[in-house]
Amino acid sequence: MLNGKKVLLGVSGGIAAYKACALTSKLVQQGADVKVIMTEGATEFVQPLTFQALSRNPVYTDAFDEKNPEKIAHIDLADWSDLIILAPATAHLLGRIANGLADDMLTTTLLAATSPVYVAPAMNVHMYAHPSVKKNLIELEKMGYRFIEPGDGYLACGYVGKGRLEEPERIIEVINNHEKKTEVMKGKKVLITAGPTQEIIDPVRFFTNHSSGKMGYALAQAAKDLGAEVTLISGPVSLAKIAGIRTIDVQSADEMYQAVIKEFPEQDLVIKSAAVADYRPKQTSDQKLKKKDGDLVIELERTQDILATLGKEKTNQYLVGFAAESEQPLTYGKEKLKRKQLDAIVINEIGFQKGFQSDHNEVVFYTKDEEEHRIPYATKKEIAEKLMQLVNRKMTEE
Ligand code: CTP
């Protein structure tokens, strides 16, 4: 996978910088074109000349040392790279990039880069366990950075534990596996809807439901990890945006309908995991409704069934619906698949620690040709990964 790839290797100032020399050599042996950027700290451990000799390319250490007046080095390097590896990534480097700093050649280039970044941290065991480092790792993961976790073992500081830079062979294996995975749905356009909708009553009130959007966001991430081009149409949720995924925010069922219909013709796959309101207030008030004696009756009207519309209008798209049921899930789910003319449906029974709000779920994936796959209780991330594999297999069969 790395043959012919343009790899930018960022080396920061830890004792494991010496292992980055072996990594450079192995990457070159795999056929990659490697360019190295070193932080000032890294140059205390290894001479730039070492990396220059191993990579057969100039080594970059200073953002102000512009070697070619026709180019701006950090932009040029960022655009040039197919992928970026940070090895070793020290606690300080993690802190700087998690906070968007651009105070040297490496961090400035990283801000300008759009290619995937693989991070291989290395530090003392207590530093790796420090809440600040953990917080930075979580932030970076949200931004789409991929991690090659440090291994357990003897550390240069004398401790034994987690913090040792993974061996160069293992770093390359993880990257190879990841790059291979992104070929699976490469070129496929995927549309996913997630979250609840809000149906306005007046400027301060609305009808909504318990959907958190977690399942839809996990599906969007899983599709992206397989290399698909993902558009996520999201109702109001409190989840962080996923880096590299085009997200369209909507509020009401009608806004979701408009957005989905607009995007639909371009798509290869549509998964409708959103919990769309079936009814909205017939009238909305511009002013806050004042309370009066007696009961209040709000008349509701039906919203458009987005999924059923797509079922009627679909041409070549593979269409997957969701059915969250509180009773007889399989019977109702299978009936929904037929009624809404779907290719497949994900059926889940709403219950304790499953479905709405929960981080876990347990589903049945059922297809129009009556294949039934039960995915047992697991995290929504794991369920989403399994579902995307199943959906991709069925799409390829068609
Ligand atoms: N859905 C939709 N538009 C709606 C309502 C639902 O696209 N107005 C989609 C959901 O995104 C989901 C599927 O339809 O993929 C199932 O939704 P659900 O509300 O469970 O099904 P209904 O057809 O509304 O059936 P019922 O309310 O009778 O259970």
Side-chain angles (χ1 to χ4, degrees), residues 293-309:
D293 288 341
D295 296 338
L296 170 71
V297 176
I298 296 176
E299 216 181 328
L300 301 176
E301 64 182 7
R302 283 290 304 269
T303 58
Q304 289 256 35
D305 191 319
I306 308 170
L307 190 57
T309 311

Side-chain angles (χ1 to χ4, degrees), residues 69-112:
E70 282 171 20
K71 288 175 179 166
I72 297 166
H74 63 276
I75 306 293
D76 191 48
L77 276 177
D79 292 346
W80 170 87
S81 64
D82 293 322
L83 65 94
I84 299 174
I85 307 172
L86 304 179
T90 57
H92 187 223
L93 178 65
L94 296 175
R96 287 192 293 149
I97 54 179
N99 288 287
L101 297 191
D103 57 353
D104 70 356
M105 182 64 185
L106 181 54
T107 49
T108 312
T109 308
L110 282 169
L111 279 191

Side-chain angles (χ1 to χ4, degrees), residues 193 253 272-278 303-308 320-325 336 339-340:
T193 68
K272 283 229 71 242
S273 68
V276 187
D278 288 326
T303 58
Q304 289 256 35
D305 191 319
I306 308 170
L307 190 57
V320 183
F322 262 71
E325 306 292 344
K336 250 171 223 179
R339 178 162 45 90
K340 301 198 185 193

Side-chain angles (χ1 to χ4, degrees), residues 61-293:
T61 53
D62 181 355
F64 299 105
D65 176 19
E66 292 288 358
K67 297 181 198 303
N68 180 350
E70 282 171 20
K71 288 175 179 166
I72 297 166
H74 63 276
I75 306 293
D76 191 48
L77 276 177
D79 292 346
W80 170 87
S81 64
D82 293 322
L83 65 94
I84 299 174
I85 307 172
L86 304 179
T90 57
H92 187 223
L93 178 65
L94 296 175
R96 287 192 293 149
I97 54 179
N99 288 287
L101 297 191
D103 57 353
D104 70 356
M105 182 64 185
L106 181 54
T107 49
T108 312
T109 308
L110 282 169
L111 279 191
T114 53
S115 41
V117 183
Y118 292 88
V119 186
M123 64 200 75
N124 162 273
V125 62
H126 296 312
M127 289 170 81
Y128 192 63
H130 194 282
S132 294
V133 174
K134 279 194 174 156
K135 188 173 122 245
N136 291 332
L137 290 170
I138 291 167
E139 282 309 312
L140 291 168
E141 195 177 15
K142 278 192 214 151
M143 294 179 203
Y145 285 61
R146 295 162 190 167
F147 290 91
I148 301 152
E149 287 229 1
D152 269 310
Y154 176 78
L155 302 173
C157 53
Y159 278 92
V160 175
K162 205 175 175 70
R164 201 165 77 159
L165 181 71
E166 256 309 352
E167 294 307 320
E169 293 81 359
R170 176 76 191 131
I171 294 177
I172 290 177
E173 189 187 319
V174 173
I175 295 171
N176 265 328
N177 289 344
H178 215 289
E179 292 295 303
K180 230 181 266 167
K181 214 173 132 190
T182 60
E183 295 287 309
V184 176
M185 291 190 83
K186 202 173 192 160
K188 292 264 187 318
K189 290 194 165 188
V190 176
L191 177 68
I192 291 171
T193 68
T197 62
Q198 292 175 349
E199 309 303 323
I200 302 282
I201 301 167
D202 69 12
V204 291
R205 302 176 180 99
F206 50 79
F207 288 117
T208 190
N209 58 63
H210 283 303
S211 172
S212 63
K214 286 176 187 168
M215 194 67 232
Y217 274 59
L219 281 164
Q221 178 73 58
K224 182 188 164 247
D225 289 346
L226 295 179
E229 190 186 318
V230 184
T231 303
L232 178 63
I233 297 180
S234 175
V237 294
S238 52
L239 302 173
K241 294 263 183 297
I242 306 172
I245 290 183
R246 185 174 149 243
T247 305
I248 301 169
D249 291 314
V250 296
Q251 186 182 14
S252 65
D254 189 50
E255 280 174 25
M256 187 171 280
Y257 176 83
Q258 304 296 343
V260 170
I261 294 298
K262 187 162 169 246
E263 301 294 326
F264 187 54
E266 300 251 297
Q267 305 299 323
D268 298 299
L269 165 66
V270 178
I271 306 182
K272 283 229 71 242
S273 68
V276 187
D278 288 326
Y279 296 92
R280 67 172 159 244
K282 208 164 183 176
Q283 278 173 344
T284 58
S285 171
D286 290 341
Q287 304 301 329
K288 185 182 163 201
L289 296 178
K290 301 301 283 178
K291 66 177 165 296
K292 297 188 184 124
D293 288 341

Side-chain angles (χ1 to χ4, degrees), residues 359-378:
D359 286 328
H360 293 79
N361 216 348
E362 182 182 356
V363 303
V364 172
F365 178 70
Y366 183 76
T367 64
K368 63 175 180 223
D369 54 357
E370 300 184 1
E371 252 186 55
E372 191 174 310
H373 300 267
R374 184 167 291 277
I375 307 180
Y377 190 75

